[in-house]
Every structure is written in structure tokens, then in C-alpha cells.
Amino acid sequence: MTSSGKLIPLEEVPRFFRDGMSLTAGGFAHSHQPMALLRELIRSGAKNLTLMGVAECWVAEFLAAAGVLDRAYFSNFMFEGFGRCRQFSEGVEAGRIEVEDHSHFGMVCRLQASALGLPFMPMRAMAGTDIVAVPGFEPAEEKSSFIASPFGNGHVTAVSPLKPDVAIIHAARADRLGNVQLFGTTSVVEEQARAAGTVIVSAEEIVETDVIRRQPELTIIPGLMVDAVVHLPYGAHPTGVYGYYEHDADHLGAYYAASRSSGDVRDFLRCWVRDMPDHWAYLDAVGMAKLMSLRTDPALGYARREGAHA
Amino acid sequence: MATNDYSLAELLTVCVSRELEDGGQGFIGLGTGGRAFTMAVGVPSVAAELARRHRGIDFTTQYGVTFEPDLKKTPANFADPYLLAWPSKAQVRVEECLEYFRRGKMTVGFTSGAQIDRRGNLNTVCIGSHDKPKVRLVGPIAQSDHCTYAKYTFVMMVQDPRVFVPKLDFRSALGHGDAAGDRRRLGVPGGGPRKVFTDLAIWGFDADGDMRVETLHPGATREDVVRTVGFDVVFADDLGATPAPTPEELRLIREEIDPEGLFLEARIA
């Protein structure tokens, strides 16, 4: 391996993308969604995508708004504090996006089956619901089966594996070998990384392996699981990264307002995604003052702002 | 202060509080905003603290990944950094926090939905057909999981004929299924919905899992309930009145537990 290891520049990431691929993305609520990688994915022109998500609302919404999302296997997409993911929901309502619903466990179990190389995963939830009875785009018999335990001790719902072609994950820090550390609420990025065929990680900081070695217990994805690492400070903006910066409520609010109209959302994507030459231009456009105002106070764990804490 | 001078949120808080059991564990979601927040997060949060202070019971609350946080230090914003800085007894991984359901440790799941039927089944997925819905909603979330595993669930909803429906547009969380014994047949370990708390009444379930009105809130009539429900309403033979909060319960809520209305007036961002 060269000295740069798995570290690649953002403009090389599209070689992992292709039309019709399936992907999964890290994140939860307004936290650590891989937004810079996602913007690069949209700029790459890859289309007819299938998302295998749990609750990565901003990823689903931007893919829907960009018109490149055909299908979604997922548990829930909702903007906390705002409301419905409008472009995603309208895409489903108009029949442009097909969906396969799951409970949280259901989605995670399907990723885990793939992660563990198993033909199915048994679970108890979803039995007796339309999640298993009413097919979306996937035939019901390919999604789940209500089976007797081989040990004669009851019945379970077996769900089939889901193997995303690509996982895109944004983390706090990584080394050149792809050892990845993320703090705070990590959601299910470990399961997503283990399930996917190719794992691309962007990180706030690229650190020496010695730094990783000092706190190895913080490594949530070891290098052997990672195919490429990209250095993208503020790579989750407008979502936040615990210990680094908070989500940009103004920016998210501006998107949410734009998402009411197809014209406004197209303009928003043109301005912030399609016409943006690269990630550095994006950060310049957001502005130093705004970025600094979002910085987390290391002692508090959140940004020091009036009225932020009761 | 007159004892009948209380809000709906305060009334429901006291009712929920009285139902909580010693040694129990309750899972509360983390939705934000307005009346839905008050019903789904505010009422259970204050009810649990009230049960601890007023009745002296040991009841643990879990907010997603955060176990039994200090309500005196409740953040005014429920975004991740504030939640993670909230002093609490444990913070666990998302997957792990749900493991306690699977392990059978969860006593009460507080749930809600866009639609409920008379068997307590819930819909959070869509209005209209699943293929081409009139309104696409959030999705099943972990609610299907709570409803599977919790020893029992308390459903918090506002009555409306579009919400209390004869048939769900999509059943995303199992209540008592279609018929008595469905849960056992499906290998679902939890007990299912036990109570439904609304703006007009408290509903329970008979032995077969059919919903019935058990108490009417002060000022609410049978006609009010029938008018706001889309299926045939059954009233319990011993239909009673929802007991009003006592002055001491109201004092604890207003002066000690939620003085700034963070929970019951949904002031958390």
C-alpha cells in the first residue's frame, strides 16, 4: 500500500458509483449524515438508485429531490423539528419512488443477515402487520417468511439479507488505513459497513495511526472493512457531527422552505450541489462565520449559544 | 387555584402517572413540536416523574439511547448534542437501546399513530393505498418493535373520525390483531395496547382485545366520543368519569416537575 493508503480525493469517489446501484448511508436525525459524499454522488450523475436505509432522512430527501432515487427499503424518514420529508414523500405519492417498509429492527436485521453472511435473520417484530403482508416493489415471499423454529419452540419471521453495493459514511476521524472513529450517537453505521460491498468513509480529520492506537476502543469500523477514505471537514454539513459542530438549523430550514416547490428545490440543488465545483467552494459559500458559530464547545459537547440549555 | 382549573395535558399526565407500576421501565420517543410532542413525549415524561415523587415508585424512563435523565437539567433543544450532554444514568448505542425490548425489559411503550382501529392496531405509514398513497407518512419506525415487545403499550392520540378508523390504510404496528389470540399465534411476546389516552376519554381493552371506553374526561359526553370515532363505540358497563388531578398533583407538576412548560407546553425545540 502507498503512503496515502486508502485516502483519496473527493473527485475520485465517483468511480465507485454507477447507475442502478444500491446504497446505504450513515447518520441519524440531523447528525452525521454523509452530505458531502452525497452531493458528490448527485454531481456524478448516477441515477436510478436504490436506497437501503434506516432513518437517514436527509440522504433520502436529497436523492429524491435530485430525481435519482427509484426505490427505498427503509424504516422511517422524518425531519425532527420540521416535519415530513416533502420531496421524498411527494415522490412516493406520485409513484416516482417505490418503497418497501420495515420496522427499525426489520431493516437492521436484513442488513445484519448480509453482514453475517447468513441466508436470513429471524425476528419477532413485523408479524401480523402489512409490512410483511402488503408488498411494495419486492415480492412478499422474497422479503420475509413466517417459519417454525427448527427446535420446536415457536415461530419467527425470517427476513432476507439486504446487501447494499456501496455504503457512504461520515465519521469524526480516520487514519489512512481506514480505521474509523465516531463519537456520540453512531446509529447503525457498523451494521451498514459490514453489510455493504464497498465502504467509503469521509472524516472530519485524518489522523496518524498512532492517534487511533491511543484510543482503540473508539474505533467503530476497523480498516479491513473500509475501501476508501476521504478527508472532508464539515462533511456532514448541514447536519452535525458530535464533538465537532452542530447541525445548521438555518440551512436546513432554508432547504425545508425550498422543498415546498419543485422550482425552489431545483434552484437550491443547483446552487448548493450541482453548480458547486467542489467541497471547498461549498464551505466558502456557507461562510466562515456560520461554520465557526456551529463549532462545539469541547467542554459542553454542544455550541455555546444563548438559550441553548435550560 | 380551583381544582377543576387544569389543562388536558395535566389531566392525561395524572392519569398516565397513576397507571405506572413500581419497578417499571418506559420507552419515550423523541419527536418534537406542538401537540404531538406534548402527547407523545411531554405527558409520559412528567407522568413518570410525578409517579416517582407523588407515589414513591421506582420507574425508569428511557429516551431513545438515554436512560433516566435528570429532568431538572432538561435541555431546551432535543438535537443530538444536547441529548448527549443531558446528565443521565446510561447512554447506549441505538441498536443496544432496542435490545432491551428484545430482552423483555420494557414495561411500557408510549405509542401513537396517524390511524388506530378498534383492535389497537396502528398506522404510521400512509393514508390511501400503499402503492400510490394520498399522503406518505414517516414509516413504521421502531414502533412496530415496541408494540411487539413491550409488556404493554399506552397509546396517546387525539380523537377524530379520520384517526379512529374502522380499517387502517396500512397496519404498521400490531395491536390485538384481528381476533383474540392473534398475538400469541404470531409469536409476539408483548401484551399489546392496554390503554388509549385521548382528549376525550380513556379507553381500555376487553379480554378479546376489543377497545372500549372506560372513563370520560370531565365535560366530555358519550355523544362527543361517538362523533369523533369512525367505528362503533363500545362503552364499558361500568363507564366512569376520569378522575381529576388533585391539588397536590397539580402543584408538583407546575411548581416542581415542569415549571417552564418544557414538556407539557412543548417548549423544547
Side-chain angles (χ1 to χ4, degrees), chain A residues 89-117:
Chain A
S89 299
E90 286 172 16
V92 177
E93 289 155 13
R96 291 190 300 273
I97 301 169
E98 296 181 299
V99 293
E100 202 57 61
D101 281 286
H102 299 76
S103 76
H104 182 104
F105 285 166
M107 205 56 218
V108 177
C109 282
R110 296 192 74 178
L111 293 170
Q112 280 175 334
S114 169
L116 298 173

Side-chain angles (χ1 to χ4, degrees), chain B residues 183-195:
Chain B
R183 291 183 66 90
R184 192 160 15 98
R185 185 178 59 76
L186 291 162
V188 168
R194 176 179 283 187
K195 298 276 182 189

Side-chain angles (χ1 to χ4, degrees), chain A residues 60-274:
Chain A
E61 175 72 2
F62 271 56
L63 290 175
V68 298
L69 184 63
D70 282 3
R71 292 175 160 185
Y73 300 83
F74 74 112
S75 165
N76 54 290
F77 293 145
M78 180 84 173
F79 294 137
E80 285 186 11
F82 293 101
R84 291 200 311 153
C85 299
R86 282 208 196 86
Q87 293 293 313
F88 177 79
S89 299
E90 286 172 16
V92 177
E93 289 155 13
R96 291 190 300 273
I97 301 169
E98 296 181 299
V99 293
E100 202 57 61
D101 281 286
H102 299 76
S103 76
H104 182 104
F105 285 166
M107 205 56 218
V108 177
C109 282
R110 296 192 74 178
L111 293 170
Q112 280 175 334
S114 169
L116 298 173
L118 292 171
F120 64 86
M121 185 65 79
M123 58 180 290
R124 292 197 187 276
M126 307 202 300
T129 71
D130 288 337
I131 300 170
V132 292
V134 176
F137 55 83
E138 185 180 34
E141 65 275 15
E142 291 178 21
K143 180 178 186 177
S144 71
S145 181
F146 190 64
I147 59 170
S149 160
F151 305 105
N153 50 359
H155 286 73
V156 291
T157 296
V159 292
S160 61
L162 283 179
K163 183 181 172 67
D165 292 322
V166 171
I168 55 173
I169 289 162
H170 186 70
R173 61 190 192 186
D175 66 6
R176 288 169 172 74
L177 306 174
N179 294 297
V180 174
Q181 301 190 328
L182 176 61
F183 320 128
T185 311
T186 57
S187 194
V188 290
V189 297
E190 295 101 313
E191 286 80 2
Q192 291 170 317
R194 286 195 286 263
T198 298
V199 178
I200 304 163
V201 176
S202 59
E204 290 297 318
E205 298 180 84
I206 301 299
V207 297
E208 293 302 323
T209 299
D210 278 349
V211 174
I212 300 284
R213 283 198 182 105
R214 265 175 235 146
Q215 288 173 289
E217 72 278 12
L218 295 178
T219 300
I220 62 168
I221 307 173
L224 67 124
M225 296 304 302
V226 175
D227 297 280
V229 178
V230 191
H231 184 208
L232 292 171
Y234 282 99
H237 184 274
T239 67
V241 176
Y242 184 70
Y244 289 81
Y245 50 91
E246 291 187 5
H247 68 273
D248 185 342
D250 294 338
H251 196 97
L252 296 181
Y255 172 81
Y256 199 62
S259 74
R260 286 172 201 279
S261 108
S262 56
D264 288 351
V265 83
R266 199 161 45 238
D267 289 346
F268 187 99
L269 285 182
R270 189 183 307 126
C271 173
W272 290 102
V273 181
R274 296 192 194 280

Side-chain angles (χ1 to χ4, degrees), chain A residues 273-295:
Chain A
V273 181
R274 296 192 194 280
D275 287 356
M276 202 56 86
D278 58 28
H279 183 60
W280 306 107
Y282 176 91
L283 295 185
D284 282 345
V286 175
M288 174 73 96
K290 168 55 84 178
L291 293 175
M292 291 311 290
S293 77
L294 302 171
R295 286 312 281 189

Side-chain angles (χ1 to χ4, degrees), chain B residues 113-151:
Chain B
Q115 292 180 331
I116 186 170
D117 66 18
R118 66 178 188 85
R119 306 280 303 167
N121 302 300
L122 292 166
N123 172 19
T124 58
V125 164
C126 59
I127 303 298
S129 78
H130 185 253
D131 280 352
K132 208 166 175 186
K134 187 158 159 276
V135 184
R136 173 66 211 192
L137 304 169
V138 55
I141 339 176
Q143 189 156 278
S144 325
D145 307 316
H146 301 185
C147 292
T148 296
Y149 288 103
K151 190 172 161 195

